């Protein structure tokens, strides 16, 4: 008896009527789970559909013994019964995306009083954009790590805000910074400026297609286009390497922690767990352990990387808040 | 077929855990190194302060010494010495402003800059007088302002864990 015969005997389903379709010897309860993109339009708040469906390997095959975080978050809030817990949590988690604009707003409205934009706009908007990007690319690894998906819409949200903050950064820099050579010089007068400008240019098509109609229209090409995010990631790291170099800061200024404030080091530290958690063997290991009810092993294994991630992110936020408050008070640091 | 899958599965798992182990070891080493590094930040801040204060003290000591000699007989030279003092003190204040102090010494750094600004203002008044007698008449006020600066420097150095200043102003 051939292998094919064996399969047919075990799975005696008729051939698929769809072109190219086949049961492959396994019956699927939800045939769309493996689709490359959601078939139905989705609202951002609907995490199940907004989230890019992961492969089966990411979904635990065993039934969870206790109620999942997702199920709890999908329930109506007890304090605000009109809203689901997830919607309330997402609302508050989305607010930090506005922080860079909040900090820079006074500089814009005062038309660069005291050269506040000339001296600090890149620190506030650049750092803010970087933080938004890193949050966006942190969502998928976090889903892999925890199995919870209720915060998946934050990926799109912070991705969009990364692009918008980047565009506002580029526009403000083109008008206010002190690099010679006019608008072109301010945008591309140095190598780090060129990479920054390219980041904004690459972000534009991703931003324009970060919506459901574009996703539906582009079909499988949508995912390929969105993979430009990885190019952006590399470009941001290069931009920071060209900006800060490979060595810790030196000179008679700072707060005594020059290594922690080195932006290239920060992005490397943050990228380490994020890249690892995108590698198929690592994802598989995490999912297997989670499915086997050994989530604690996952936490233990990733604890040092999580600590490094938090440490690096804390200094990015430190710079954003510290410089942002100085700009807000129209008291920019002397460069 | 199933035997092959069975053989491959543990191999893939090993790859996964190996990658995680490598990442975690690197991260753990970096975090462990970060702890003593972070603990040493107060020493680095103190070093930043002395890097600014040291050169300013050397310049000021020479200017003050020259002024002490010229204030009795040469108005132009005395004014030149005072002008150099103003420059050195202003440079010190500007450099002090680029250091981000921890919460404890931060207000004292501001107070030091304020006290210094008062002293600079008085010295600038001295620069406007037209006789040695009037120049010397303002000396007592400048000395009082210097005492205020000294007091702030004392607090500042104590905050930073530095020994009390000996010889210099800062």
């Amino acid at each position: 008896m051939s292998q094919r015969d064996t399969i047919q005997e075990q799975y005696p389903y008729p051939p698929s009527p769809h072109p190219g379709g086949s049961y492959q010897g396994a019956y699927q309860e939800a045939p769309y789970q493996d689709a490359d993109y959601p078939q139905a339009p989705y609202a951002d708040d609907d995490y199940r559909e907004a989230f890019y469906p992961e492969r089966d390997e990411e979904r635990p095959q065993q039934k969870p013994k206790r109620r999942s975080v997702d199920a709890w978050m999908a329930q109506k809030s007890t304090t605000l019964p009109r809203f689901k817990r997830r919607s309330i949590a997402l609302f508050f988690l989305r607010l930090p995306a506005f922080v860079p604009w909040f900090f820079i707003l006074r500089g814009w409205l005062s038309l660069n009083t005291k050269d506040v934009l000339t001296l600090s706009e890149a620190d506030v908007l650049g750092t803010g954009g970087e933080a938004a990007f890193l949050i966006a690319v942190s969502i998928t690894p976090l889903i892999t790590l925890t199995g919870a998906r209720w915060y998946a819409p934050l990926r799109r949200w912070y991705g969009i805000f990364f692009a918008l903050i980047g565009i506002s950064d580029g526009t403000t820099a083109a008008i206010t910074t002190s690099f010679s050579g006019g608008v072109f010089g301010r945008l591309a007068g140095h190598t780090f400026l060129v990479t920054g400008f390219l980041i904004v240019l690459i972000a534009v098509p991703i931003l324009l297609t970060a919506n459901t109609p574009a996703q539906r229209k582009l079909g499988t090409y949508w995912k390929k286009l969105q993979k430009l995010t990885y190019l952006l990631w590399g470009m941001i790291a290069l931009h920071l390497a060209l900006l800060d170099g490979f060595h810790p800061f030196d000179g008679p200024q700072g707060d005594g922690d020059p290594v922690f404030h080195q932006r290239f080091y920060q992005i490397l530290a943050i990228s380490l767990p994020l890249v690892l958690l995108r590698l198929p063997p690592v994802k598989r290991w995490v999912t297997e352990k989670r499915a086997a009810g050994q989530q604690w092993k996952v936490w233990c294994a990733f604890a040092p990387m999580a600590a490094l991630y938090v440490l690096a992110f804390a200094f990015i936020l430190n710079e954003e808040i510290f410089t942002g408050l100085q700009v807000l008070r129209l008291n920019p640091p002397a460069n | 077929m199933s035997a092959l899958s069975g053989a491959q599965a543990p191999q893939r798992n090993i790859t996964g855990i190996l990658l995680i182990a490598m990442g975690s070891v690197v991260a753990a080493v970096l975090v462990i190194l970060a702890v003593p590094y972070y603990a040493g930040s107060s020493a680095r801040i103190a070093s930043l302060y002395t890097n600014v204060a040291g050169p300013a003290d050397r310049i000021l000591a020479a200017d003050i010494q020259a002024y002490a000699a010229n204030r009795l007989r040469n108005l132009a030279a005395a004014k030149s010495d005072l002008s150099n003092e103003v420059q050195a003190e202003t440079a010190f204040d500007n450099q002090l402003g680029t250091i981000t102090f921890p919460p404890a010494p931060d207000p004292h750094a501001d107070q030091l800059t304020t006290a210094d600004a008062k002293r600079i203002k008085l010295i600038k008044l001295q620069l406007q007088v037209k006789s040695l007698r009037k120049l010397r008449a303002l000396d007592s006020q400048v000395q009082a302002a210097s005492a205020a600066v000294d007091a702030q420097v004392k607090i500042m150095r104590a905050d930073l864990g530095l020994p009390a200043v000996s010889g210099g102003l800062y």
Side-chain angles (χ1 to χ4, degrees):
Chain A
M1 191 181 283
S2 71
Q3 196 179 34
R4 183 182 168 83
D5 291 339
T6 313
I7 290 170
Q8 279 177 342
E9 200 171 84
Q10 283 175 348
Y11 301 98
Y13 303 114
S16 167
H18 307 295
S22 162
Y23 292 109
Q24 300 286 329
Y27 176 72
Q28 282 190 311
E29 280 291 332
Y32 298 117
Q33 282 189 359
D34 274 339
D36 272 337
Y37 56 91
Q39 298 295 308
Y42 52 77
D44 252 5
D45 271 355
D46 197 334
Y47 69 97
R48 282 184 189 282
E49 285 147 352
F51 175 62
Y52 214 84
E54 295 291 329
R55 299 285 177 225
D56 277 345
E57 64 192 8
E58 280 205 16
R59 294 171 188 258
Q61 296 301 310
Q62 295 174 351
K63 276 191 174 178
K65 283 174 188 166
R66 53 181 185 154
R67 199 170 54 171
S68 69
V69 179
D70 284 339
W72 188 83
M73 290 300 275
Q75 287 176 349
K76 298 271 184 193
S77 162
T78 44
T79 14
L80 296 166
R82 282 186 62 193
F83 303 100
K84 287 179 182 173
R85 287 176 176 137
R86 187 185 64 224
S87 304
I88 297 168
L90 286 174
F91 173 79
F92 286 107
L93 287 171
R94 280 170 171 151
L95 290 181
F98 294 101
V99 166
W101 287 337
F102 170 73
F103 282 140
I104 210 74
L105 191 63
R106 201 166 167 214
W108 281 340
L109 294 177
S110 69
L111 301 176
N112 200 16
T113 299
K114 296 186 187 173
D115 284 343
V116 73
L117 298 175
T118 307
L119 294 169
S120 301
E121 75 82 22
D123 290 336
V124 176
L125 293 176
T127 308
E130 181 200 1
F133 179 85
L134 291 172
I135 292 171
V137 295
S138 296
I139 301 297
T140 304
L142 208 57
I143 289 169
T144 308
L145 210 53
T146 62
R149 291 158 187 273
W150 63 268
Y151 44 78
L154 292 175
R155 175 178 32 201
R156 174 180 285 193
W157 177 262
Y158 278 95
I160 288 171
F161 269 80
F162 153 71
L164 293 176
I165 293 167
I167 290 166
S168 60
D169 181 14
T171 311
T172 311
I175 299 166
T176 62
T177 53
S178 55
F179 297 107
S180 58
V183 172
F184 182 77
R186 290 181 208 122
L187 286 175
H190 294 270
T191 47
F192 74 90
L193 292 176
V194 174
T195 51
F197 186 47
L198 285 175
I199 288 167
V200 175
L201 289 184
I202 296 168
V204 170
I206 302 177
L207 170 69
L208 293 177
T209 55
N211 55 73
T212 313
Q215 194 176 13
R216 217 180 296 138
K217 216 168 218 176
L218 288 170
T220 49
Y221 292 107
W222 185 83
K223 193 173 183 183
K224 284 176 185 165
L225 186 70
Q226 294 296 313
K227 280 191 174 169
L228 280 174
T229 305
Y230 295 113
L231 176 65
L232 276 179
W233 200 340
M235 294 285 287
I236 292 170
L238 179 66
H239 176 65
L240 297 178
L242 291 168
L243 192 64
D244 285 356
F246 297 97
H247 302 288
F249 293 129
D250 198 13
Q253 57 183 27
D255 63 356
D257 293 321
V259 171
F260 293 147
H261 287 288
Q262 224 277 16
R263 296 176 187 92
F264 182 60
Y265 295 175
Q266 289 169 351
I267 199 166
L268 287 185
I270 289 171
S271 299
L272 176 67
L274 301 186
V275 170
L276 267 184
L277 276 162
R278 282 177 160 81
L279 299 178
V282 174
K283 279 173 81 174
R284 211 174 296 123
W285 184 84
V286 171
T287 331
E288 279 169 10
K289 292 296 159 201
R290 221 180 43 231
Q294 296 173 330
Q295 180 78 39
W296 65 272
K297 284 188 181 174
V298 176
W299 290 124
C300 288
F302 278 92
M305 281 187 274
L308 192 66
Y309 176 97
V310 170
L311 181 71
F313 226 113
F315 278 88
I316 291 181
L317 298 181
N318 168 275
E319 168 153 359
E320 179 67 17
I321 294 167
F322 183 77
T323 320
L325 287 175
Q326 286 183 320
V327 173
L328 201 62
R329 293 194 299 256
L330 294 182
N331 181 28
N335 262 4
Chain B
M1 177 102 177
S2 64
L4 188 63
S5 306
Q8 276 177 346
Q11 202 174 0
R12 281 201 296 267
N13 285 347
I14 287 168
T15 314
I17 189 64
L18 273 180
L19 285 167
I20 296 169
M22 281 194 294
S24 285
V25 166
V26 170
V29 168
L30 291 173
V31 170
I32 289 166
L33 288 174
V35 174
Y37 178 79
Y38 187 72
S41 66
S42 54
R44 284 192 296 277
I45 285 278
S47 161
L48 288 177
Y49 177 82
T50 50
N51 287 346
V52 172
D57 268 344
R58 277 193 294 279
I59 296 167
L60 278 173
D63 292 336
I64 289 168
Q65 203 176 0
Y67 173 73
N70 290 325
R71 67 190 273 269
L72 300 170
R73 54 176 184 270
N74 189 336
L75 180 66
K79 280 188 174 182
S80 167
D81 299 331
L82 289 175
S83 178
N84 290 339
E85 272 187 52
V86 168
Q87 274 182 18
E89 287 183 27
T90 308
F92 170 79
D93 288 345
N94 288 340
Q95 286 180 312
L96 198 66
T98 63
I99 302 173
T100 310
F101 290 102
D106 193 42
H108 299 141
D110 291 342
Q111 285 163 9
L112 172 58
T113 311
T114 311
D116 231 2
K118 279 182 188 165
R119 193 180 123 91
I120 290 169
K121 203 173 171 183
L122 283 169
I123 295 174
K124 281 182 176 169
L125 276 180
Q126 280 187 307
L127 287 172
Q128 289 168 3
V129 300
K130 305 227 182 303
S131 71
L132 281 171
R133 199 166 58 85
K134 285 180 183 170
L135 186 84
R136 287 195 295 269
L138 285 166
D139 278 351
S140 58
Q141 287 183 51
V142 173
Q143 277 168 8
S146 299
V149 172
D150 285 344
Q152 288 304 327
V153 168
K154 210 172 181 179
I155 297 168
M156 187 76 198
R157 293 182 78 94
D159 283 339
L160 296 172
L162 291 167
V165 69
S166 58
L169 183 65
Y170 301 117

